Amino acid sequence: MSAQAVLPKGSPHPAEFKPKDNPAFILHDKLKTGYEEQPIPEVGPDEVLIEIKKTGICGSDVHFYNTGAMGLVKLQEPMCLGHESSGIIVQLAVNSVVGKGTIQLGDKVALEPGVTCRMCTDCRGGCYQICEHMVFAAYPPSRGGTLQRYYKLPADLVYKLPESVGLEYGAMMEPLSVAVHAIANKGQLRTGYNVIIFGAGPVGLLAMGVAKGLGANRIVAVDINKERLQFAKRYAATDIYIPIKQNEGESRPQYSLRAAQDLLLTLGIPTRGPGSIDLVMDATGAEVCIQMGLNAVRPGGTYVQTGFGPPDIQIPLFRVTTEEITIKGGWRYGNGDYPLAIDLVNRGLVNLEPLLTHTFKFKDALEAFEITKAGKDKNGKFVIKCVIDGPE
Ligand SMILES: [Zn+2]
Ligand SMILES: [Zn+2]
C-alpha cells in the first residue's frame, strides 16, 4: 500500500504526513488482549490527527480488562484500550478552527477523548460532559481507544502543552481534569476551604493536589489503606484518617454516622462554623464513605460524587434536606477543566511527578494493566499511575 493511498482527505500539506503503520493494543474479551493493525483514521474537515506518544492507564481501562465491563457498560466487540493520552499533531484538516494559528503541526498536545454532538441542549447549555451522543475513547459502544499510533479528534479537543510540561504529564491531564472538574468546577472550592476526600487512589490524590493548589486550608484524606494514606500525606493531604471498625449488629447508616463523628472528633474538626468541612468529594463509590461524607460535611456544605459503586445506596436524606447539603455528580470534565489542569501544572501549583510511578514500552502494555490491577509491581513497589509509550 502506498503512503498516498491512506492519506486523509483535505490534508493541507500532504507531503508532510508520511504515515507509518498503526498498531493498536486491543481487548478481545476479559483478560484477552493482543496487538492488531488498524486503518489510519481519515481526518474530517474540523479534525486533527495526533501521533500518540504517552497513554496513562485508568481504573476504567483496568475494569474493562479484568471483567469485560465497567459498571453497567459492557464490552460489545473487540476494543482498543486507553483514553489518557498526549501526542504530537501530525495533520491539520482544511477547516480546522484551531489550525489558524493556535495549533500547529508538530505541537505537543493533551487529548480530551470525548467527542460530543455540539447540538443538544446539554452541549449548548455548557454541560457537554452529559451529552447523550458522547462518543468516548475506549468506552463502548465506541471502538477506538488511544493505545494505538494514530488518533483523530476535533481540533478543539486538543490542548497545546506548555514547554515545561512533558508528554508523560500531558497524558495525566485527563485524570487531573476529572479532579479539577470535581473540586474547582462542581465543588467551587475557594481559598481557605476545609475538604475531605474519600479514596487515595489516582483520582483522589489528584483531587487533593488540586485542592492544595487552589489554596484549601485542611485536606483530609480517608482510605482503608495505610500505605496510600501515608503517600497522600506526603503528597497533598494535611490530615489522614482510617475509618473505625463497624460493630457487630450495627447497620451501615448507624456505623457511617459514628465513623463521621469519630473522624471529626479525632481530627479536632468542628461540625459547623469556622474550621468545619466545606466540601467533601468521594472517589470510592463505597456506600459507607458516601454516608460518612454526607454526615461530616457542614450544614450548607457541598458533596461531590465521582466514584462508582453499587447503583442503589442509602443516604442520610433527612440531613441533606434539613441542613441544606448540596449533592453534585462529577462526571469526567467540562468546559475549562483541561485549560485549568494544564495551567495548575505549568505554574507548579499541582505536582504530577510523584504520582507517575511506572512507565512501559508499547510492547509491554499488558504488564502495565497487570500491575495497575494488582496495585503493586513485581518488586512490591506501590503503583499509582502507569504511563505507556506510543508505538515505536
Ligand atoms: Zn481515565
Ligand atoms: Zn450534545
Side-chain angles (χ1 to χ4, degrees), residues 86-255:
S86 66
I88 304 286
I89 300 287
V90 289
Q91 228 182 3
L92 295 169
V94 221
N95 303 336
S96 169
V97 279
V98 289
K100 301 182 182 90
T102 4
I103 293 278
Q104 309 278 354
L105 285 174
D107 278 351
K108 54 174 193 175
V109 293
L111 282 68
E112 182 173 341
V115 180
T116 59
C117 81
R118 298 148 191 263
M119 306 276 178
C120 72
T121 46
D122 299 312
C123 281
R124 288 165 58 98
C127 293
Y128 65 75
Q129 65 275 22
I130 54 170
C131 171
E132 65 171 318
H133 308 292
M134 170 80 77
V135 177
F136 200 85
Y139 196 82
S142 126
R143 185 167 189 270
T146 56
L147 276 169
Q148 54 184 313
R149 189 187 305 279
Y150 296 115
Y151 198 78
K152 70 169 181 177
L153 276 176
D156 60 319
L157 294 181
V158 293
Y159 300 86
K160 190 172 172 169
L161 291 168
E163 213 35 60
S164 72
V165 179
L167 282 159
E168 61 275 46
Y169 302 114
M172 290 173 72
M173 293 306 165
E174 198 269 356
L176 180 59
S177 296
V178 173
V180 163
H181 186 64
I183 296 293
N185 184 334
K186 294 290 154 184
Q188 293 282 302
L189 181 133
R190 285 191 244 150
T191 308
Y193 260 31
N194 298 302
V195 302
I196 301 178
I197 290 159
F198 286 86
V203 170
L205 289 166
L206 287 165
M208 294 170 210
V210 171
K212 183 182 175 185
L214 293 175
N217 177 33
R218 282 180 90 167
I219 301 164
V220 181
V222 182
D223 203 294
I224 46 172
N225 183 320
K226 203 171 171 190
E227 207 178 349
R228 281 183 183 275
L229 284 182
Q230 279 161 349
F231 185 91
K233 187 86 191 267
R234 286 196 302 276
Y235 183 58
T238 58
D239 301 85
I240 55 175
Y241 179 78
I242 297 180
I244 47 170
K245 294 263 174 296
Q246 190 169 359
N247 290 332
E248 219 168 294
E250 190 179 33
S251 73
R252 267 196 202 143
Q254 281 168 343
Y255 161 69

Side-chain angles (χ1 to χ4, degrees), residues 62-83:
V62 174
H63 272 291
F64 282 123
Y65 165 69
N66 204 25
T67 65
M70 221 274 293
L72 303 173
V73 182
K74 290 190 172 55
L75 186 72
Q76 295 161 6
E77 54 179 334
M79 176 177 87
C80 175
L81 290 165
H83 63 268

